[in-house]
Amino acid sequence: IATPNHGVWDKTLYDSSLEKEFAREADKITNSEVLCFLKFPSWYKIPTPIGNYEPDFGVVLHKRLLSSPHEDKEYYFVVEIKGTDDINDTRALTPHEIGRIKCAVKHFKSLGIEAYYKAPIKEYETFKAQANQTINNNGNI
């Protein structure tokens, strides 16, 4: 799919219609909220006890700090696209998918970097709401 506005590359590969729609929505944001995003390459794998896990997208959001209107901050997210927003939805997620997502949560927390992991996510609007909640809960804006 063409992603000339915010994609790291002018086109983004996708593995499902949900990923395609996520990329389309992230790319069409016009208020410069999305600084950039990328579909992780297939070689980027996180080893887990139940097999390798491949996250879907990396997204960098740009926010102006309310406490200091002349300062901006970037927020880094890793996003896993699934047919649900509920980790406990066993109709949409297999036990292996649930396990890998739970392992990924621990993986990204253990890295000690300022990146937030959002999974499972069904659509861009859900990601945006969860990302804004994360940013606001951390007291950064």
Side-chain angles (χ1 to χ4, degrees), residues 40-121:
F40 282 107
S42 60
W43 54 261
Y44 182 76
K45 297 178 186 327
I46 297 167
T48 76
I50 53 175
N52 287 335
Y53 167 71
E54 300 174 27
D56 290 322
F57 288 95
V59 180
V60 180
L61 296 182
H62 173 260
K63 297 285 186 178
R64 174 135 305 152
L65 299 175
L66 294 178
S67 59
S68 182
H70 300 292
E71 284 188 57
D72 296 341
K73 187 163 181 183
E74 295 172 359
Y75 296 88
Y76 303 91
F77 292 89
V78 175
V79 184
E80 178 65 28
I81 307 299
K82 293 292 182 192
T84 184
D85 297 317
D86 181 6
I87 188 70
N88 298 310
D89 185 349
T90 55
R91 290 180 296 154
L93 300 171
T94 67
H96 274 89
E97 288 174 316
I98 293 169
R100 286 182 182 140
I101 289 171
K102 288 181 178 181
C103 287
V105 167
K106 291 180 181 184
H107 170 79
F108 288 109
K109 281 184 182 177
S110 73
L111 291 179
I113 59 173
E114 286 190 38
Y116 304 98
Y117 180 64
K118 298 296 174 188
I121 296 292

Coordinates of all heavy atoms in Angstrom, one line a residue, residues 40-121:
F40 N 7.5 -3.9 10.6 CA 8.7 -4.5 10.9 C 9.1 -5.6 9.9 O 8.2 -6.3 9.4 CB 8.7 -5.2 12.3 CG 8.8 -4.2 13.4 CD1 7.7 -3.9 14.2 CD2 10.1 -3.7 13.7 CE1 7.9 -3.0 15.3 CE2 10.2 -2.8 14.8 CZ 9.1 -2.5 15.6
P41 N 10.3 -5.7 9.5 CA 10.7 -6.7 8.5 C 10.6 -8.1 9.1 O 10.6 -8.3 10.3 CB 12.2 -6.4 8.2 CG 12.7 -5.6 9.4 CD 11.5 -4.9 10.0
S42 N 10.4 -9.1 8.2 CA 10.2 -10.5 8.6 C 11.4 -11.0 9.4 O 11.2 -12.0 10.2 CB 9.9 -11.3 7.4 OG 10.9 -11.3 6.5
W43 N 12.6 -10.5 9.2 CA 13.7 -11.0 9.9 C 13.8 -10.5 11.4 O 14.5 -11.0 12.2 CB 15.0 -10.7 9.2 CG 15.2 -9.2 8.9 CD1 15.0 -8.6 7.7 CD2 15.7 -8.2 9.8 NE1 15.3 -7.2 7.9 CE2 15.7 -7.0 9.1 CE3 16.1 -8.2 11.2 CZ2 16.1 -5.8 9.7 CZ3 16.5 -7.0 11.8 CH2 16.5 -5.8 11.0
Y44 N 12.9 -9.5 11.8 CA 12.9 -9.0 13.1 C 12.1 -10.0 14.0 O 10.8 -10.0 13.9 CB 12.4 -7.6 13.2 CG 12.4 -7.1 14.6 CD1 13.6 -6.6 15.2 CD2 11.3 -7.0 15.4 CE1 13.7 -6.1 16.5 CE2 11.3 -6.5 16.7 CZ 12.5 -6.1 17.2 OH 12.5 -5.6 18.5
K45 N 12.7 -10.8 14.7 CA 12.0 -11.8 15.5 C 12.4 -11.8 17.0 O 13.6 -11.5 17.3 CB 12.3 -13.2 15.0 CG 11.9 -13.5 13.6 CD 12.3 -14.8 13.1 CE 12.0 -15.2 11.7 NZ 10.9 -14.7 11.0
I46 N 11.5 -12.0 17.8 CA 11.7 -12.0 19.3 C 11.6 -13.5 19.7 O 10.5 -14.0 19.6 CB 10.8 -11.1 20.0 CG1 11.0 -9.6 19.6 CG2 10.9 -11.2 21.5 CD1 9.8 -8.7 20.0
P47 N 12.6 -14.1 20.2 CA 12.5 -15.5 20.7 C 11.6 -15.5 22.0 O 11.8 -14.7 22.9 CB 13.9 -15.9 20.9 CG 14.7 -14.7 21.0 CD 14.0 -13.6 20.4
T48 N 10.7 -16.5 22.0 CA 9.9 -16.7 23.2 C 9.9 -18.2 23.4 O 10.3 -19.0 22.6 CB 8.4 -16.3 23.0 OG1 7.8 -17.2 22.2 CG2 8.3 -14.9 22.4
P49 N 9.5 -18.7 24.6 CA 9.5 -20.1 24.9 C 8.6 -20.9 24.0 O 8.7 -22.1 23.9 CB 9.1 -20.2 26.4 CG 9.4 -18.8 26.9 CD 9.2 -17.9 25.8
I50 N 7.6 -20.2 23.3 CA 6.7 -20.9 22.5 C 6.9 -20.5 21.0 O 5.9 -20.6 20.2 CB 5.2 -20.7 22.9 CG1 4.9 -19.2 23.0 CG2 4.9 -21.4 24.2 CD1 3.5 -18.8 23.4
G51 N 8.1 -20.2 20.6 CA 8.3 -19.9 19.2 C 8.6 -18.4 19.0 O 8.4 -17.6 19.9
N52 N 9.2 -18.1 17.9 CA 9.5 -16.7 17.6 C 8.3 -15.9 17.4 O 7.3 -16.3 16.9 CB 10.4 -16.6 16.3 CG 11.8 -17.1 16.5 OD1 12.3 -17.1 17.7 ND2 12.4 -17.5 15.5
Y53 N 8.4 -14.6 17.8 CA 7.3 -13.6 17.7 C 7.8 -12.5 16.8 O 8.9 -12.0 17.0 CB 6.9 -13.1 19.1 CG 6.0 -11.9 19.0 CD1 4.7 -12.0 18.6 CD2 6.5 -10.7 19.4 CE1 3.9 -10.9 18.5 CE2 5.7 -9.5 19.3 CZ 4.4 -9.7 18.9 OH 3.6 -8.6 18.8
E54 N 6.9 -12.1 15.9 CA 7.2 -11.0 14.9 C 6.2 -9.9 15.1 O 5.1 -10.0 14.7 CB 7.2 -11.5 13.5 CG 8.2 -12.6 13.2 CD 8.1 -13.2 11.8 OE1 7.6 -12.4 10.9 OE2 8.4 -14.3 11.6
P55 N 6.6 -8.8 15.8 CA 5.6 -7.7 15.9 C 5.3 -7.1 14.6 O 6.1 -7.2 13.6 CB 6.3 -6.7 16.9 CG 7.8 -7.0 16.8 CD 7.9 -8.5 16.4
D56 N 4.2 -6.4 14.5 CA 3.7 -5.8 13.2 C 4.3 -4.5 12.8 O 5.0 -4.3 11.8 CB 2.2 -5.8 13.1 CG 1.6 -7.2 13.1 OD1 2.2 -8.0 12.4 OD2 0.6 -7.4 13.7
F57 N 4.0 -3.5 13.7 CA 4.4 -2.1 13.3 C 5.2 -1.4 14.4 O 5.0 -1.6 15.6 CB 3.1 -1.3 13.0 CG 2.4 -1.6 11.7 CD1 1.4 -2.5 11.7 CD2 2.8 -1.0 10.5 CE1 0.7 -2.8 10.5 CE2 2.2 -1.3 9.4 CZ 1.2 -2.2 9.4
G58 N 6.0 -0.4 14.0 CA 6.6 0.5 14.9 C 6.0 1.9 14.5 O 5.8 2.2 13.3
V59 N 5.5 2.7 15.5 CA 4.9 4.0 15.2 C 5.6 5.0 16.1 O 5.7 4.8 17.3 CB 3.4 3.9 15.5 CG1 2.8 5.3 15.2 CG2 2.7 2.8 14.7
V60 N 5.9 6.1 15.6 CA 6.4 7.3 16.3 C 5.4 8.4 16.3 O 5.0 8.9 15.2 CB 7.8 7.8 15.8 CG1 8.3 8.9 16.6 CG2 8.8 6.7 15.7
L61 N 4.9 8.7 17.5 CA 3.9 9.8 17.6 C 4.7 11.1 18.0 O 5.6 11.0 18.8 CB 2.8 9.5 18.6 CG 1.9 8.3 18.2 CD1 0.9 8.1 19.3 CD2 1.3 8.5 16.8
H62 N 4.2 12.2 17.5 CA 4.7 13.5 17.9 C 3.7 14.3 18.6 O 2.6 14.4 18.2 CB 5.1 14.2 16.5 CG 5.5 15.6 16.7 ND1 4.7 16.7 16.5 CD2 6.7 16.2 17.0 CE1 5.3 17.8 16.7 NE2 6.5 17.5 17.0
K63 N 4.1 14.8 19.8 CA 3.1 15.5 20.6 C 3.8 16.8 21.1 O 5.0 16.8 21.5 CB 2.7 14.7 21.9 CG 1.9 13.4 21.6 CD 0.5 13.7 21.1 CE -0.2 12.4 21.0 NZ -1.6 12.7 20.6
R64 N 3.0 17.9 21.2 CA 3.4 19.1 21.8 C 3.1 19.1 23.2 O 2.0 18.7 23.6 CB 2.7 20.3 21.1 CG 3.0 21.6 21.8 CD 3.3 22.7 20.9 NE 4.4 22.4 19.9 CZ 4.5 23.0 18.7 NH1 3.5 23.9 18.4 NH2 5.5 22.8 17.9
L65 N 4.1 19.4 24.1 CA 3.9 19.4 25.5 C 3.0 20.5 26.0 O 3.3 21.7 25.7 CB 5.2 19.4 26.2 CG 6.2 18.3 25.9 CD1 7.5 18.6 26.6 CD2 5.6 17.0 26.4
L66 N 1.9 20.2 26.7 CA 1.0 21.3 27.2 C 1.7 22.1 28.2 O 1.4 23.3 28.4 CB -0.3 20.7 27.7 CG -1.1 19.9 26.7 CD1 -2.4 19.3 27.4 CD2 -1.6 20.9 25.6
S67 N 2.6 21.5 29.0 CA 3.3 22.2 30.1 C 4.3 23.2 29.5 O 4.7 24.1 30.2 CB 3.9 21.3 31.0 OG 4.9 20.5 30.3
S68 N 4.7 23.0 28.3 CA 5.7 23.8 27.7 C 5.4 23.9 26.2 O 5.9 23.1 25.4 CB 7.1 23.3 27.9 OG 8.1 24.2 27.4
P69 N 4.5 24.8 25.7 CA 4.0 24.8 24.4 C 5.1 24.9 23.3 O 4.8 24.6 22.1 CB 3.1 26.0 24.3 CG 3.0 26.5 25.7 CD 4.0 25.9 26.5
H70 N 6.3 25.2 23.6 CA 7.3 25.3 22.6 C 8.2 24.1 22.5 O 9.1 24.0 21.8 CB 8.2 26.6 22.8 CG 7.4 27.8 22.8 ND1 6.8 28.3 21.7 CD2 7.1 28.7 23.8 CE1 6.2 29.4 22.0 NE2 6.3 29.7 23.3
E71 N 7.8 23.1 23.3 CA 8.6 21.8 23.3 C 7.7 20.7 22.7 O 6.5 20.6 23.0 CB 9.0 21.4 24.8 CG 10.1 22.2 25.3 CD 10.6 21.6 26.6 OE1 10.9 20.4 26.7 OE2 10.5 22.4 27.6
D72 N 8.4 19.8 22.0 CA 7.7 18.7 21.4 C 8.4 17.4 22.0 O 9.6 17.5 22.4 CB 7.9 18.7 19.9 CG 7.2 19.9 19.2 OD1 6.3 20.5 19.9 OD2 7.5 20.2 18.1
K73 N 7.7 16.3 21.9 CA 8.2 15.1 22.4 C 7.8 14.0 21.4 O 6.7 14.0 20.9 CB 7.8 14.8 23.8 CG 8.5 13.5 24.4 CD 8.4 13.4 25.8 CE 9.2 12.2 26.3 NZ 9.2 11.9 27.6
E74 N 8.6 13.0 21.2 CA 8.3 11.8 20.4 C 8.1 10.6 21.3 O 8.7 10.5 22.3 CB 9.4 11.5 19.5 CG 9.7 12.6 18.4 CD 10.9 12.4 17.6 OE1 11.6 11.4 17.8 OE2 11.2 13.2 16.7
Y75 N 7.1 9.8 21.0 CA 6.7 8.6 21.7 C 6.8 7.4 20.7 O 6.3 7.5 19.6 CB 5.3 8.7 22.3 CG 5.2 9.9 23.3 CD1 4.9 11.2 22.9 CD2 5.5 9.6 24.7 CE1 4.9 12.2 23.9 CE2 5.4 10.6 25.6 CZ 5.1 11.9 25.2 OH 5.1 12.9 26.1
Y76 N 7.4 6.4 21.2 CA 7.7 5.2 20.4 C 6.8 4.0 20.8 O 6.7 3.7 22.0 CB 9.1 4.8 20.5 CG 10.1 5.9 20.1 CD1 10.5 6.8 21.1 CD2 10.4 6.1 18.8 CE1 11.4 7.9 20.7 CE2 11.3 7.2 18.4 CZ 11.7 8.0 19.4 OH 12.5 9.1 19.1
F77 N 6.1 3.4 19.8 CA 5.2 2.3 20.1 C 5.5 1.2 19.1 O 5.9 1.3 18.0 CB 3.7 2.8 19.8 CG 3.2 3.8 20.8 CD1 3.4 5.1 20.6 CD2 2.6 3.4 22.0 CE1 3.0 6.1 21.5 CE2 2.2 4.3 22.9 CZ 2.3 5.7 22.7
V78 N 5.3 0.0 19.7 CA 5.3 -1.3 18.9 C 3.9 -1.7 19.0 O 3.2 -1.8 20.0 CB 6.2 -2.3 19.5 CG1 6.1 -3.6 18.7 CG2 7.7 -1.8 19.5
V79 N 3.3 -2.1 17.8 CA 1.9 -2.4 17.7 C 1.7 -3.8 17.0 O 2.3 -4.1 16.0 CB 1.1 -1.3 16.8 CG1 -0.4 -1.6 16.8 CG2 1.4 0.1 17.4
E80 N 0.8 -4.6 17.7 CA 0.5 -5.9 17.1 C -1.0 -5.8 16.7 O -1.9 -5.6 17.5 CB 0.6 -7.0 18.2 CG 0.2 -8.3 17.7 CD 1.1 -8.9 16.6 OE1 2.3 -8.5 16.5 OE2 0.6 -9.7 15.8
I81 N -1.2 -6.0 15.4 CA -2.5 -5.9 14.8 C -3.2 -7.3 14.8 O -2.6 -8.3 14.3 CB -2.5 -5.4 13.3 CG1 -1.7 -4.1 13.2 CG2 -3.9 -5.3 12.7 CD1 -2.3 -3.0 14.0
K82 N -4.3 -7.4 15.4 CA -5.1 -8.6 15.4 C -6.6 -8.3 15.2 O -7.0 -7.1 15.1 CB -5.0 -9.3 16.8 CG -3.6 -9.8 17.1 CD -3.3 -11.0 16.2 CE -1.9 -11.6 16.4 NZ -1.5 -12.5 15.4
G83 N -7.4 -9.3 15.1 CA -8.9 -9.1 14.8 C -9.6 -8.7 16.1 O -10.9 -8.8 16.1
T84 N -9.0 -8.3 17.1 CA -9.6 -7.9 18.4 C -8.7 -6.9 19.2 O -7.5 -6.8 18.9 CB -9.8 -9.2 19.3 OG1 -10.5 -8.9 20.5 CG2 -8.5 -9.9 19.6
D85 N -9.3 -6.3 20.1 CA -8.6 -5.4 21.0 C -8.4 -6.0 22.4 O -7.9 -5.4 23.3 CB -9.3 -4.1 21.2 CG -9.4 -3.3 19.9 OD1 -8.4 -3.3 19.1 OD2 -10.4 -2.8 19.6
D86 N -8.9 -7.3 22.6 CA -9.0 -7.9 23.9 C -8.1 -9.1 23.9 O -8.3 -10.1 23.2 CB -10.5 -8.4 24.1 CG -10.7 -9.1 25.5 OD1 -9.7 -9.1 26.3 OD2 -11.8 -9.6 25.7
I87 N -7.1 -9.1 24.8 CA -6.1 -10.2 24.9 C -6.8 -11.5 25.4 O -6.3 -12.6 25.1 CB -5.0 -9.8 25.9 CG1 -3.8 -10.8 25.9 CG2 -5.5 -9.6 27.3 CD1 -3.0 -10.9 24.7
N88 N -8.0 -11.4 26.0 CA -8.7 -12.6 26.4 C -9.7 -13.1 25.4 O -10.4 -14.0 25.8 CB -9.3 -12.3 27.8 CG -8.3 -11.9 28.8 OD1 -7.3 -12.6 29.0 ND2 -8.5 -10.8 29.5
D89 N -9.7 -12.6 24.2 CA -10.7 -13.0 23.2 C -10.2 -14.3 22.5 O -9.5 -14.2 21.5 CB -10.9 -11.9 22.2 CG -11.9 -12.2 21.2 OD1 -12.4 -13.3 21.1 OD2 -12.3 -11.3 20.4
T90 N -10.6 -15.4 23.1 CA -10.1 -16.7 22.6 C -10.8 -17.1 21.2 O -10.4 -18.1 20.6 CB -10.3 -17.8 23.6 OG1 -11.7 -17.8 24.0 CG2 -9.5 -17.6 24.8
R91 N -11.8 -16.3 20.8 CA -12.4 -16.6 19.5 C -11.5 -16.0 18.4 O -11.5 -16.5 17.3 CB -13.8 -16.0 19.4 CG -14.8 -16.8 20.3 CD -16.2 -16.3 20.2 NE -16.2 -14.9 20.8 CZ -17.0 -14.0 20.5 NH1 -18.0 -14.2 19.6 NH2 -16.9 -12.8 21.0
A92 N -10.8 -14.9 18.7 CA -10.0 -14.2 17.7 C -8.5 -14.5 17.8 O -7.8 -14.4 16.9 CB -10.2 -12.7 17.9
L93 N -8.1 -15.0 19.0 CA -6.7 -15.3 19.3 C -6.5 -16.7 19.7 O -7.2 -17.2 20.5 CB -6.1 -14.4 20.4 CG -6.2 -12.9 20.1 CD1 -5.8 -12.1 21.4 CD2 -5.3 -12.5 19.0
T94 N -5.4 -17.3 19.1 CA -5.1 -18.7 19.5 C -4.3 -18.6 20.8 O -3.8 -17.6 21.2 CB -4.2 -19.4 18.4 OG1 -3.0 -18.7 18.4 CG2 -4.9 -19.4 17.1
P95 N -4.2 -19.7 21.6 CA -3.4 -19.8 22.8 C -2.0 -19.4 22.5 O -1.4 -18.7 23.3 CB -3.5 -21.2 23.2 CG -4.9 -21.7 22.7 CD -5.0 -21.0 21.4
H96 N -1.4 -19.8 21.3 CA 0.0 -19.4 21.0 C 0.1 -17.9 20.8 O 1.1 -17.3 21.2 CB 0.4 -20.1 19.8 CG 1.0 -21.5 20.1 ND1 0.2 -22.6 20.1 CD2 2.3 -21.9 20.4 CE1 1.0 -23.6 20.4 NE2 2.2 -23.2 20.6
E97 N -0.9 -17.3 20.1 CA -0.8 -15.8 19.9 C -0.9 -15.1 21.3 O -0.2 -14.1 21.5 CB -2.0 -15.4 19.0 CG -1.8 -15.8 17.6 CD -3.1 -15.5 16.7 OE1 -4.2 -15.7 17.2 OE2 -2.9 -15.0 15.6
I98 N -1.8 -15.5 22.1 CA -1.9 -14.9 23.5 C -0.6 -15.1 24.2 O -0.1 -14.1 24.8 CB -3.1 -15.5 24.3 CG1 -4.4 -15.2 23.6 CG2 -3.0 -15.1 25.7 CD1 -5.6 -15.9 24.1
G99 N 0.0 -16.2 24.2 CA 1.3 -16.5 24.9 C 2.4 -15.6 24.3 O 3.2 -15.0 25.1
R100 N 2.5 -15.5 23.0 CA 3.5 -14.7 22.4 C 3.4 -13.2 22.7 O 4.3 -12.5 23.0 CB 3.6 -14.9 20.9 CG 4.2 -16.3 20.5 CD 4.2 -16.4 19.0 NE 4.8 -17.8 18.7 CZ 4.3 -18.5 17.8 NH1 3.4 -18.1 17.0 NH2 4.9 -19.7 17.6
I101 N 2.1 -12.8 22.7 CA 1.9 -11.4 23.1 C 2.3 -11.1 24.5 O 2.9 -10.1 24.8 CB 0.4 -11.0 22.8 CG1 0.1 -10.9 21.3 CG2 0.0 -9.7 23.5 CD1 -1.4 -10.8 21.0
K102 N 2.0 -12.0 25.4 CA 2.3 -11.9 26.8 C 3.9 -11.9 27.0 O 4.4 -11.1 27.8 CB 1.7 -12.9 27.7 CG 0.2 -12.7 27.9 CD -0.5 -13.7 28.7 CE -2.0 -13.4 28.9 NZ -2.6 -14.4 29.7
C103 N 4.5 -12.7 26.2 CA 6.0 -12.7 26.2 C 6.6 -11.4 25.7 O 7.5 -10.9 26.2 CB 6.5 -13.9 25.4 SG 6.3 -15.5 26.2
A104 N 5.9 -10.9 24.7 CA 6.4 -9.6 24.1 C 6.2 -8.5 25.1 O 7.1 -7.6 25.1 CB 5.7 -9.3 22.8
V105 N 5.2 -8.5 25.8 CA 5.0 -7.4 26.9 C 6.2 -7.4 27.8 O 6.8 -6.4 28.1 CB 3.6 -7.7 27.6 CG1 3.6 -6.8 28.9 CG2 2.4 -7.4 26.7
K106 N 6.6 -8.6 28.3 CA 7.7 -8.7 29.2 C 9.0 -8.3 28.5 O 9.9 -7.6 29.1 CB 7.8 -10.1 29.8 CG 6.7 -10.4 30.7 CD 6.8 -11.8 31.3 CE 5.6 -12.1 32.2 NZ 5.7 -13.4 32.9
H107 N 9.1 -8.7 27.2 CA 10.3 -8.4 26.4 C 10.5 -6.9 26.3 O 11.6 -6.4 26.6 CB 10.2 -9.0 25.1 CG 11.3 -8.5 24.1 ND1 12.6 -9.0 24.1 CD2 11.3 -7.6 23.1 CE1 13.3 -8.4 23.2 NE2 12.5 -7.6 22.6
F108 N 9.5 -6.2 25.9 CA 9.6 -4.7 25.7 C 9.8 -4.0 27.0 O 10.5 -3.0 27.1 CB 8.5 -4.2 24.9 CG 8.6 -4.6 23.4 CD1 7.7 -5.5 22.9 CD2 9.6 -4.1 22.6 CE1 7.8 -5.9 21.6 CE2 9.7 -4.5 21.3 CZ 8.8 -5.4 20.8
K109 N 9.2 -4.5 28.1 CA 9.4 -3.8 29.4 C 10.9 -4.0 29.9 O 11.5 -3.2 30.5 CB 8.5 -4.4 30.5 CG 7.1 -3.9 30.4 CD 6.2 -4.4 31.5 CE 4.8 -3.9 31.4 NZ 3.9 -4.4 32.4
S110 N 11.4 -5.2 29.6 CA 12.8 -5.5 30.0 C 13.9 -4.8 29.3 O 15.0 -4.7 29.8 CB 13.1 -7.0 29.9 OG 13.2 -7.4 28.6
L111 N 13.6 -4.2 28.1 CA 14.6 -3.5 27.3 C 15.1 -2.2 28.0 O 16.2 -1.8 27.7 CB 14.1 -3.2 25.9 CG 13.9 -4.4 25.0 CD1 13.3 -3.9 23.7 CD2 15.2 -5.2 24.8
G112 N 14.2 -1.6 28.8 CA 14.6 -0.4 29.5 C 14.6 0.8 28.6 O 15.4 1.7 28.8
I113 N 13.9 0.8 27.5 CA 13.8 1.9 26.6 C 12.4 2.5 26.7 O 11.5 1.9 27.1 CB 14.2 1.5 25.2 CG1 13.2 0.4 24.7 CG2 15.6 1.0 25.1 CD1 13.4 0.1 23.2
E114 N 12.3 3.7 26.2 CA 11.0 4.4 26.2 C 10.2 4.0 25.0 O 10.0 4.8 24.1 CB 11.2 5.9 26.3 CG 11.6 6.3 27.7 CD 11.5 7.8 27.8 OE1 10.6 8.5 27.3 OE2 12.4 8.4 28.5
A115 N 9.8 2.7 24.9 CA 8.9 2.3 23.9 C 7.7 1.5 24.5 O 7.9 0.8 25.5 CB 9.6 1.3 22.9
Y116 N 6.6 1.8 24.0 CA 5.4 1.2 24.6 C 4.8 0.1 23.6 O 4.8 0.4 22.4 CB 4.3 2.3 24.9 CG 4.8 3.4 25.7 CD1 5.3 4.6 25.2 CD2 4.9 3.2 27.1 CE1 5.8 5.6 26.0 CE2 5.4 4.2 27.9 CZ 5.8 5.4 27.4 OH 6.3 6.4 28.1
Y117 N 4.4 -1.0 24.2 CA 3.9 -2.1 23.4 C 2.3 -2.1 23.5 O 1.8 -2.1 24.6 CB 4.5 -3.4 23.9 CG 4.0 -4.6 23.1 CD1 4.3 -4.8 21.8 CD2 3.3 -5.6 23.8 CE1 3.9 -5.9 21.1 CE2 2.9 -6.7 23.1 CZ 3.2 -6.9 21.8 OH 2.8 -8.0 21.1
K118 N 1.7 -2.1 22.4 CA 0.2 -2.1 22.3 C -0.2 -3.4 21.6 O 0.0 -3.5 20.4 CB -0.4 -0.8 21.7 CG 0.0 0.4 22.4 CD -0.7 0.4 23.7 CE -0.3 1.6 24.6 NZ -0.8 1.5 26.0
A119 N -0.9 -4.3 22.3 CA -1.4 -5.5 21.6 C -2.5 -6.1 22.5 O -2.5 -6.0 23.7 CB -0.2 -6.5 21.5
P120 N -3.4 -6.8 21.9 CA -3.7 -6.7 20.4 C -4.5 -5.5 20.1 O -5.2 -4.9 20.9 CB -4.6 -8.0 20.2 CG -5.3 -8.1 21.5 CD -4.3 -7.7 22.6
I121 N -4.3 -5.0 18.9 CA -5.0 -3.8 18.3 C -5.7 -4.2 17.1 O -5.2 -4.9 16.2 CB -4.0 -2.7 18.0 CG1 -3.3 -2.2 19.3 CG2 -4.6 -1.5 17.3 CD1 -4.2 -1.5 20.3

